[in-house]
Amino acid sequence: MKISIIGTGYVGLSTGVGLAKRGNRVICFDIARDVVEKINRKEPIFYEPLISEMLTDVVSKGLLKATMDLDFAVINSDVSFLSVPTPSKIDGSIDTSYIRGASVSLGKALKKKGYHVVVVKSTVLPETTENIVLPALEKFSGKKCGKDFGLCVNPEFLREGSALSDFLKPDRIIIGEFDKKSGDVLESLYKGFNCPIIRTSIKTAEMIKYASNAFLATKISFSNEMGNLCKRMGIDAYEVMRGVGLDKRISPHFLNAGIGFGGSCFPKDLNAIISKARNLGETPIIIESVMKTNYNQPLRIIELLKSKMDLKGKKISVLGLAFKADTDDIREAPSIKIIGKLIEEGAIVSAYDPKAIKRFREKYPQINYTKNPRECLKDSDACLILTDWEEFKNLNERDFNTMRNRIIIEGRKVLNPKNVSKFEGVCW
Ligand code: UGA
């Protein structure tokens, strides 16, 4: 099938590359010239496992190209995925200006086209597609939804760090459809995927995405709350959750306690659904508590460190800046709050991350960045591990022996006790 992707950020590019890999012809549209040029040069715009090899493969085979010409992208495709950002506003609600703007432009492009299906991939609150996207498409195309063009919502469940394998092996595919014909077109695109496909209404599909993220985040905050209790009683929260997660009704996933969740999705989506609930006169007690627990969780590692030393003038080495492993993304990363607090307490911070230093340096030019963990650890008074990078799993006694003072605290469970002695975790 011929596909266009409107907005080639993280989700757009991962989706485009995944669809091209399955043999579809994909045109990625973006307003940013550097993004378009980089993609055509087979250079990914972010770090993500597999993206480099897969992008090179599909561009070389002529299955994917990028353009700044929206009409060209739409005219040469049958289905357009809208994957523009939906950032948070100050009050937590979502900023729909990009989705509105893209729908207007897409509407104008649809004028010049026969039947075409528009698929909303961006994470949008229930009613956004029907109240914002649909009217803009109809108004600016002069066409009728369900007759002249189709409309679906198809939420993404891609995790940064495993986006392409998540795309190619999904647990489920959700198709929210305006009408049967739109849903049939989209379902045919996903032919051959070995997972349940749920066909539902547009609003329901929008809500499935928020309910999924809210539940996953709830599991994490719950585990952190249990973990904080465990720490006080000298219990390893991971051993507890291994015992808990084997119950099929619970599942072992997303029960890892630590320094809380970050990233561009959970905090933004939970705030958005809280804001929507309040507008509807509901009090989302659980989700608000999940956010509250998460707000405080990164600072637990500082409290633990402060119980062992006064931080003023001390050299603290920080291993890991990205919000999770296998990404260079630092949006809402717990490291931001933790390093901010270390600086506030007068500590001298030295940091290392395999991929995220460039992005972090733009935010915190005042701290010292090192080329490897050893250099970071040298002469430090304490070490905090904040991201579960594979590389840190191989750290051993020799790497830590250069520290001035042996205090090692993990915010993510990563060190191998067979390789390293004398360390502790924030919840273990
Ligand atoms: C999340 C969802 O997992 C995806 O399904 C969804 O598509 C995506 O948001 C989105 O809405 O676009 P992502 O934020 O990329 O994906 O990464 P996760 O693996 O979910 O991790 C989020 C945060 O939770 C990270 O900071 C991670 O370290 C933390 N986490 C995760 C924990 O603290 N404990 C866990 O057990 C799992």
Side-chain angles (χ1 to χ4, degrees):
M1 203 177 268
K2 289 190 280 178
I3 309 294
S4 54
I5 304 282
I6 314 302
T8 312
Y10 190 84
V11 169
L13 187 61
S14 305
T15 305
V17 168
L19 287 169
K21 194 74 193 162
R22 290 188 57 89
N24 298 288
R25 296 198 162 269
V26 178
I27 304 176
C28 293
F29 163 81
D30 205 278
I31 49 168
R33 183 175 298 279
D34 60 325
V35 167
V36 168
E37 287 176 352
K38 273 190 161 180
I39 293 170
N40 286 330
R41 286 201 306 265
K42 305 168 197 156
E43 289 171 27
I45 43 179
F46 46 80
Y47 173 75
E48 174 71 30
L50 299 179
I51 191 104
S52 187
E53 306 87 300
M54 281 172 60
L55 181 65
T56 302
D57 180 43
V58 294
V59 174
S60 309
K61 286 183 179 149
L63 288 170
L64 184 143
K65 61 175 156 235
T67 179
M68 290 179 73
D69 182 344
L70 182 61
D71 284 353
F72 172 81
V74 173
I75 288 164
N76 291 291
S77 59
D78 310 308
V79 175
S80 292
F81 281 88
L82 260 180
S83 51
V84 294
T86 48
S88 284
K89 291 203 269 190
I90 294 195
D91 65 355
S93 62
I94 61 167
D95 176 354
T96 50
S97 57
Y98 296 101
I99 197 98
R100 192 187 298 271
S103 305
V104 169
S105 311
L106 196 50
K108 289 178 184 163
L110 286 183
K111 231 184 197 164
K112 303 157 198 159
K113 186 80 213 300
Y115 186 80
H116 193 92
V117 176
V118 175
V119 181
V120 177
K121 198 61 156 162
S122 304
T123 298
V124 291
L125 282 166
E127 300 178 330
T128 307
T129 302
E130 280 157 326
N131 293 347
I132 294 177
V133 179
L134 192 155
L137 292 175
E138 286 194 331
K139 182 172 172 196
F140 290 90
S141 66
K143 296 186 169 190
K144 196 91 197 101
C145 186
K147 180 172 156 279
D148 308 314
F149 68 90
L151 183 61
C152 290
V153 165
N154 176 218
E156 53 86 13
F157 302 103
L158 312 178
R159 288 163 302 170
E160 291 193 24
S162 53
L164 288 153
S165 45
D166 286 350
F167 180 86
L168 295 169
K169 287 200 193 101
D171 288 345
R172 78 304 205 184
I173 290 167
I174 306 294
I175 297 178
E177 61 200 40
F178 181 81
D179 61 330
K180 185 172 177 307
K181 185 175 172 188
S182 315
D184 286 348
V185 171
L186 188 55
E187 183 163 358
S188 69
L189 176 65
Y190 286 119
K191 205 166 156 237
F193 277 81
N194 186 21
C195 70
I197 294 186
I198 295 191
R199 303 264 300 252
T200 185
S201 72
I202 283 193
K203 266 199 283 199
T204 308
E206 290 168 327
M207 191 62 186
I208 287 172
K209 166 72 187 199
Y210 280 92
S212 298
N213 274 2
F215 187 69
L216 290 169
T218 303
K219 286 185 90 173
I220 300 171
S221 276
F222 175 82
S223 305
N224 284 331
E225 196 167 298
M226 290 297 119
N228 295 339
L229 279 175
C230 287
K231 183 72 186 175
R232 291 203 178 265
M233 295 184 283
I235 300 168
D236 182 336
Y238 276 70
E239 273 189 53
V240 172
M241 287 309 176
R242 198 168 44 173
V244 172
L246 286 171
D247 185 325
K248 286 194 186 65
R249 294 167 301 175
I250 298 174
S251 111
H253 305 291
F254 277 68
L255 293 179
N256 296 333
I259 44 177
F261 56 80
S264 66
C265 304
F266 288 165
K268 169 175 81 79
D269 293 351
L270 269 66
N271 279 328
I273 199 75
I274 289 170
S275 156
K276 179 81 179 176
R278 287 199 192 123
N279 284 342
L280 293 168
E282 291 292 328
T283 310
I285 301 168
I286 295 177
I287 315 176
E288 284 179 343
S289 308
V290 166
M291 287 301 282
K292 205 165 162 192
T293 300
N294 197 59
Y295 182 85
N296 294 323
Q297 199 63 21
L299 297 177
R300 289 267 167 175
I301 202 164
I302 298 281
E303 283 161 28
L304 188 56
L305 181 60
K306 278 174 73 178
S307 71
K308 299 173 193 299
M309 59 162 54
D310 176 18
L311 294 178
K312 201 163 171 36
K314 297 283 174 13
K315 185 186 165 198
I316 311 296
S317 46
V318 169
L319 297 181
L321 299 168
F323 85 97
K324 62 180 285 193
D326 289 329
T327 177
D328 57 354
D329 198 340
I330 59 159
R331 285 175 288 176
E332 302 283 334
S335 60
I336 295 176
K337 202 178 262 178
I338 293 166
I339 290 178
K341 191 73 184 157
L342 287 172
I343 294 172
E344 195 185 304
E345 295 278 337
I348 301 153
V349 179
S350 204
Y352 168 76
D353 187 284
K355 298 284 175 198
I357 288 180
K358 189 166 168 277
R359 289 179 189 242
F360 211 87
R361 200 195 297 269
E362 287 161 17
K363 219 172 168 74
Y364 285 105
Q366 71 271 46
I367 66 171
N368 178 39
Y369 295 93
T370 66
K371 288 197 183 65
N372 52 54
R374 264 207 192 181
E375 199 188 313
C376 187
L377 290 162
K378 194 166 183 313
D379 296 331
S380 64
D381 295 292
C383 166
L384 302 182
I385 302 180
L386 306 186
T387 314
D388 46 349
W389 283 101
E390 195 64 32
E391 180 179 336
F392 301 156
K393 294 187 182 154
N394 300 322
L395 290 172
N396 59 39
E397 215 49 42
R398 266 183 297 136
D399 297 305
F400 290 101
N401 274 347
T402 55
M403 290 177 73
R404 183 161 42 208
N405 187 15
R406 181 67 179 255
I407 294 177
I408 306 165
I409 309 177
E410 294 182 297
R412 306 277 184 211
K413 199 165 182 107
V414 55
L415 292 179
N416 183 346
K418 286 188 190 140
N419 299 340
V420 187
S421 63
K422 233 177 138 239
F423 66 90
E424 66 179 299
V426 73
C427 299
W428 54 96

